[in-house]
Amino acid sequence: MSTDPTTPPAAPTNFIHEIIDGHNASGRFGGKVHTRFPPEPNGYLHIGHAKSICLNFGIAKKYGGKCNLRFDDTNPTKEDIEYVNSIQEDVRWLGFEWDGLYYASDYFEQIYQWAELLIEKGKAYVDSSTLDEIREQRGTVTQPGIANQYRSRSVKENLDLFRRMRAGEFPDGAHVLRAKIDMAHTNMLLRDPVIYRIRHAHHHRTGDAWCLYPMYDFAHGYSDSIEGITHSICTLEFEIHRPLYDWLIEAVGIYHPQQIEFARLNLTYTVMSKRKLLELVEAKIVSGWDDPRMPTIAGIRRRGYTPAAMRDFCETIGVTRFNGMTDLVVLENAVRNDLNKSAPRVMGVLKPLKIVLTNYPEGQTEEFDCINNPEDPSAGSRKVPFSRELYIERDDFMEDPPKQFFRLAPGREVRLRWAYVIKCEEAVKDPATGEIVELRCTYDPETKGGNTPDGRKIKSTIHWVSAPHALSTEVRLYSPLFSVEDLASIPETEDWKTYLSPTSLVVIPDAKLEPSVKTQAVGYRCQFERLGYFCLDRDSTSEKLVFNRTVTLKDEWAKIQKKGG
Ligand code: ATP
Ligand code: MG
């Protein structure tokens, strides 16, 4: 990731850049910049992680430094190789390549040795209390903790016990190793935190080599130090852990990275905790981690979001130290902006209403040249077939239209995109239900290409698909999984899953598309004109294509919310 060292980095755009500029000016890290992205492989990455990825890899790029991908795999029971693989795939999809790929578990031996060193220095002890006792003795915010009898164990006894813990002589929970800091510290995290616990559990990488595992706080800073990380960037809730991070590094006397905290991303209508996302997967509320409604990278990828849009989004929201809530609209706008530039247009009808052009010769077909992307002349054009029987969108017709409705109605004209001006002569109804089943229309042969040589004004242009040529497809329309804006506002006593929206997925089994999309591959993205951006799903078969709606053209969701409907 090196850039030309002779060009100075661009001006800082967030407070972390300013801190790094300060370190570079003072020479604190000798001008070196080395970050890392440290996920725990206990779930799939989500949009919040994308913020951290763009930040960490972005810093390395900006300063010509390095960024590692490190799996924080200190918790054997929740971690899995499936997650390790998906995380790598997702980071790459976002457009980043790590300099080093590491696992905290690779450092278990070194970290263990540092634990012994702490014991030898009188800075750690084996506590044989139960976890409940330890919790009780910790005190409260207003009351100091109490030192128990184990705190004064000799170095010799501590070392002996700790080595026997490693050798597997004790069951889970029999002892823990604690850092000996200060039981009366105002920061409760420094009241002799537990740094090792016994866990007879199989680890996805180290197998059964260990039956004792370091706590996250203990392993994290040491992993940073081993890798020569300069700026250890994490979210704001770790701010109160920083004194512990610093204490542990100083106590061992090793290279000292700088921890910096920033505000995590919270999105409206979205849960962003791996634990909760796992719950949705396990309860089969979604079809899997890559359900297109999930805020996971795998989910949004399948839905049709682009890596460029995600990077733009992360750029737009910026990096601050204030916890807040980002409107989902900001994310969707980033996706719209990107797809508007890159997605070819096609015509598709979601709620088909058949029309018959009574004066168009039966059996005749012609083809119109349709421009693929008005935003991108290099995208060229394609041929779209036209015939006597067509589908239009049901919503583009009203039998008894109000004044502001300029689309099709009895006796009215409308332009069919790229084709002809047509006029509605008659609406045919199902005699039993009264439902309109077909429109009888005439076309004006003088208006080929949609032009009116006589200069008459046609107020509206609608999309259409030739009925005999139409591809019948399934279309999946998505809206937010939750009906409540701020999920954190749900009280702990309530089940957050009761706020799931019943309409987050609406399936249209038989939408009609122009035939040009037939030969496209899974992942193909396009705009259905006037409807939104869509992406070909992996559930497509040779019999039936399946499209996911990535995002609507405009922010219809906000409109619905405002109306309270
Ligand atoms: P979750 O709470 O969703 O399970 P986590 O913080 O436990 O997330 P990790 O795997 O530990 O997940 O996170 C890896 C990195 O991503 C950490 O540095 C963490 O700070 C960052 N991160 C996680 N969630 C967010 C978020 N919502 N916004 C920004 N960064 C995040
Ligand atoms: Mg975590």
Side-chain angles (χ1 to χ4, degrees):
M1 267 206 176
S2 58
T3 49
D4 181 357
T6 56
T7 41
T13 57
N14 64 49
F15 80 95
I16 299 180
H17 295 157
E18 281 169 19
I19 293 173
I20 295 173
D21 288 344
H23 289 156
N24 285 345
S26 71
R28 161 119 184 240
F29 295 109
K32 195 179 130 189
V33 174
H34 198 156
T35 57
R36 85 286 172 267
F37 172 64
E40 184 182 351
N42 62 347
Y44 278 61
L45 296 184
H46 53 58
I47 301 170
H49 293 115
K51 175 175 179 178
S52 176
I53 292 167
C54 289
L55 175 60
N56 279 294
F57 283 91
I59 284 171
K61 197 167 180 183
K62 178 178 164 76
Y63 291 95
K66 289 184 172 162
C67 183
N68 294 348
L69 173 61
R70 181 199 319 136
F71 290 102
D72 239 316
D73 55 350
T74 50
N75 186 351
T77 55
K78 290 188 179 153
E79 295 161 3
D80 197 279
I81 188 76
E82 177 194 350
Y83 301 138
V84 168
N85 292 336
S86 74
I87 288 169
Q88 295 183 48
E89 190 183 344
D90 291 349
V91 172
R92 287 207 165 107
W93 179 79
L94 278 169
F96 300 106
E97 189 61 46
W98 45 87
D99 291 283
L101 175 65
Y102 301 112
Y103 297 82
S105 57
D106 290 343
Y107 311 138
F108 279 173
E109 183 61 40
Q110 175 64 75
I111 292 170
Y112 172 87
Q113 293 304 330
W114 282 331
E116 282 205 357
L117 181 62
L118 287 183
I119 295 173
E120 280 161 8
K121 289 181 163 190
K123 293 180 176 184
Y125 62 99
V126 173
D127 192 329
S128 311
S129 316
T130 65
L131 282 179
D132 280 342
E133 285 164 347
I134 289 175
R135 202 171 303 125
E136 277 161 29
Q137 293 162 0
R138 253 178 104 211
T140 64
V141 196
T142 48
Q143 271 187 324
I146 11 171
N148 62 30
Q149 72 268 33
Y150 304 115
R151 199 173 197 264
S152 49
R153 268 180 169 149
S154 69
V155 168
K156 193 159 167 276
E157 190 187 356
N158 280 322
L159 257 188
D160 173 61
L161 278 170
F162 190 51
R163 287 179 181 162
R164 286 165 59 201
M165 282 162 70
R166 176 178 185 170
E169 283 187 34
F170 308 111
D172 289 7
H175 311 280
V176 293
L177 186 70
R178 296 177 73 176
K180 197 170 181 176
I181 307 180
D182 180 359
M183 284 308 289
H185 205 286
T186 49
N187 181 340
M188 287 182 62
L189 289 172
L190 277 85
R191 291 184 190 167
D192 294 8
V194 172
I195 55 179
Y196 261 97
R197 67 221 188 288
I198 300 172
R199 222 173 236 200
H200 291 269
H202 188 84
H203 185 282
H204 70 103
R205 293 196 83 238
T206 57
D208 298 312
W210 293 90
C211 62
L212 100 166
Y213 292 92
M215 300 299 286
Y216 172 86
D217 276 336
F218 191 67
H220 193 84
Y222 291 159
S223 304
D224 285 342
S225 182
I226 290 168
E227 292 174 20
I229 298 304
T230 54
H231 301 89
S232 174
I233 299 167
C234 58
T235 41
L236 225 44
E237 66 274 20
F238 286 98
E239 185 174 16
I240 50 165
H241 296 242
R242 184 166 11 112
L244 178 57
Y245 182 103
D246 292 340
W247 186 93
L248 288 168
I249 297 230
E250 291 302 319
V252 170
I254 51 176
Y255 163 77
H256 198 150
Q258 176 66 53
Q259 177 178 309
I260 304 171
E261 310 86 19
F262 71 101
R264 66 193 295 119
L265 170 67
N266 297 304
L267 270 180
T268 55
Y269 301 102
T270 309
V271 286
M272 211 116 69
S273 127
K274 281 182 281 185
R275 186 177 53 78
K276 288 183 175 165
L277 295 176
L278 177 64
E279 233 181 292
L280 294 175
V281 172
E282 285 182 337
K284 298 203 173 0
I285 289 165
V286 294
S287 64
W289 284 101
D290 72 345
D291 186 303
R293 292 167 293 174
M294 289 281 269
T296 52
I297 306 292
I300 61 170
R301 171 166 65 230
R302 185 170 169 194
R303 181 153 164 175
Y305 284 31
T306 60
M310 292 311 297
R311 293 191 302 265
D312 284 352
F313 167 69
C314 292
E315 190 69 36
T316 306
I317 56 175
V319 178
T320 70
R321 284 181 55 84
F322 305 103
N323 273 320
M325 179 81 89
T326 299
D327 200 319
L328 197 52
V329 171
V330 180
L331 175 63
E332 295 194 338
N333 280 340
V335 178
R336 287 185 186 106
N337 284 341
D338 188 45
L339 290 175
N340 181 40
K341 286 178 260 161
S342 60
R345 277 55 169 167
V346 302
M347 289 195 286
V349 173
L350 296 186
K351 281 183 271 168
L353 174 60
K354 194 162 187 188
I355 67 172
V356 178
L357 303 177
T358 52
N359 62 339
Y360 194 89
E362 235 163 301
Q364 180 174 309
T365 297
E366 61 191 305
E367 282 184 326
F368 287 103
D369 255 327
C370 305
I371 289 173
N372 284 331
N373 188 348
E375 303 286 322
D376 175 12
S378 73
S381 66
R382 68 192 185 286
K383 299 241 184 269
V384 176
F386 184 89
S387 67
R388 181 180 154 91
E389 295 194 0
L390 309 165
Y391 293 114
I392 63 164
E393 209 65 62
R394 197 163 270 276
D395 294 346
D396 283 334
F397 173 81
M398 279 187 97
E399 193 179 15
D400 193 10
K403 241 198 161 127
Q404 321 86 296
F405 187 85
F406 297 118
R407 288 165 279 165
L408 207 55
R412 288 224 197 143
E413 282 190 317
V414 77
R415 180 185 295 106
L416 295 180
R417 179 87 157 140
W418 311 114
Y420 291 107
V421 172
I422 62 165
K423 183 175 181 187
C424 177
E425 310 287 353
E426 185 196 348
V428 182
K429 291 182 182 171
D430 180 320
T433 62
E435 190 200 2
I436 293 167
V437 289
E438 186 182 297
L439 301 179
R440 309 232 123 209
C441 303
T442 50
Y443 85 111
D444 178 352
E446 301 301 316
T447 59
K448 190 161 179 165
N451 307 310
T452 46
D454 63 358
R456 74 182 188 277
K457 268 223 153 23
I458 307 295
K459 284 211 166 136
S460 237
T461 302
I462 65 172
H463 58 276
W464 52 272
V465 171
S466 166
H469 302 95
L471 270 183
S472 171
T473 61
E474 179 176 320
V475 175
R476 298 174 182 168
L477 306 178
Y478 304 106
S479 47
L481 258 176
F482 292 91
S483 54
V484 52
E485 190 170 78
D486 179 5
L487 276 116
S489 69
I490 300 170
E492 287 288 325
T493 49
E494 274 186 67
D495 180 3
W496 52 278
K497 295 195 291 306
T498 55
Y499 292 91
L500 280 158
S501 158
T503 53
S504 60
L505 168 62
V506 173
V507 177
I508 295 180
D510 194 10
K512 308 293 184 188
L513 288 194
E514 66 170 63
S516 72
V517 298
K518 187 144 95 200
T519 53
Q520 299 297 342
V522 169
Y524 163 75
R525 301 184 186 95
C526 59
Q527 183 194 100
F528 291 0
E529 289 212 37
R530 302 177 61 230
L531 296 174
Y533 295 97
F534 291 78
C535 176
L536 197 58
D537 190 75
R538 64 170 165 76
D539 284 348
S540 298
T541 63
S542 51
E543 268 84 66
K544 192 161 208 165
L545 299 183
V546 177
F547 274 92
N548 297 314
R549 184 173 66 195
T550 309
V551 66
T552 54
L553 277 190
K554 282 184 230 106
D555 179 21
E556 284 161 21
W557 173 246
K559 266 187 285 172
I560 294 166
Q561 288 296 300
K562 278 207 187 86
K563 279 190 211 146

